[in-house]
Amino acid sequence: MNSKKAIVILSGGLDSTTCMGVAKEAGYDIYPITFHYGQRHDREIENAKKVASYFDAAEHKVFSLEFLKEIGGSSLTDQLMEVNQEGVGEDVPNTYVPGRNTIFLSIAASYAEAIGAEKIYVGVSAVDFSGYPDCRPEFIEAMQQTIFQGTNAEPTITIEAPLIDLSKGDTVKLGMELNVPYHLTTSCYLGGEEACGECDSCRLRLQGFEEAGATDPIKYM
């Protein structure tokens, strides 16, 4: 292995798996991290393990953040709330998990500093997204400044958000160019054996493959 290390926040979904391909193409030894935070679609963790194995990750860590379920405020962590299935709109949907990306990036920065990684890859998009405030460029820049000010890392840790300006279709095209294993991924918020095809995440994913002129390799209900 070479000396270049990168952390990839890996959910097991389309975007984060594309980031794995981007990091691999850039020549980094990949150290993916996955989070179990009481999400109803926790089967994505098994998909993340398969993706990490596919890319021959140097090490794959799964961190438990069950307190996010205790905090609540999201249909992904509160089984009593129905998952938004009205399509992407202007309002923030109830699948938004308060503070999730702030916590994810903070833990990624801690891990990066500990192992001497210089990059953190995260698959946020400000183009095709569900209206989450923690997917905006302003948020990523703010977290970058926080990492600069709050770590003593050498080399300096920088956040890479390669999908931030890409539509879902462009993301799929990029992933196909990099031979990303989309057949190993899952995106459905409901977490079933087959994707529902109706939740925000499924709609965006299907739209992306359609725009890319490709067929989604996973099964739908």
Side-chain angles (χ1 to χ4, degrees), residues 16-26 30 55 178 180:
S16 64
T17 301
T18 304
C19 283
M20 289 281 283
V22 173
K24 189 77 170 181
E25 180 70 13
I30 306 174
F55 280 104
L178 298 173
V180 166

Side-chain angles (χ1 to χ4, degrees), residues 65-136:
L65 300 177
E66 290 285 343
F67 64 85
L68 280 175
K69 185 174 183 178
E70 296 299 317
I71 290 174
S74 170
S75 63
L76 297 189
T77 57
D78 186 344
Q79 296 288 339
L80 298 179
M81 296 175 64
E82 292 187 7
V83 173
N84 181 285
Q85 292 184 311
E86 298 176 354
V88 178
E90 295 182 359
D91 296 330
V92 177
N94 65 12
T95 50
Y96 165 66
V97 181
R100 180 176 60 180
N101 283 350
T102 302
I103 295 167
F104 285 5
L105 284 168
S106 296
I107 292 173
S110 176
Y111 185 36
E113 186 171 9
I115 68 171
E118 61 186 71
K119 300 287 186 181
I120 298 171
Y121 281 83
V122 60
V124 296
S125 171
V127 180
D128 280 346
F129 73 120
S130 296
Y132 298 163
D134 55 1
C135 287
R136 297 174 299 174

Side-chain angles (χ1 to χ4, degrees), residues 163-216:
L163 315 181
I164 194 79
D165 295 320
L166 300 185
S167 68
K168 196 67 75 179
D170 288 335
T171 294
V172 172
K173 290 178 183 177
L174 173 61
M176 293 175 64
E177 291 173 0
L178 298 173
N179 295 315
V180 166
Y182 287 136
H183 64 287
L184 299 179
T185 67
T186 183
S187 298
C188 185
Y189 285 149
L190 300 187
E193 190 69 26
E194 297 182 348
C196 73
E198 297 294 333
C199 67
D200 284 357
S201 186
C202 279
R203 290 171 190 249
L204 283 172
R205 179 179 175 125
L206 287 168
Q207 176 184 319
F209 275 94
E210 182 179 359
E211 291 176 354
T215 300
D216 191 345

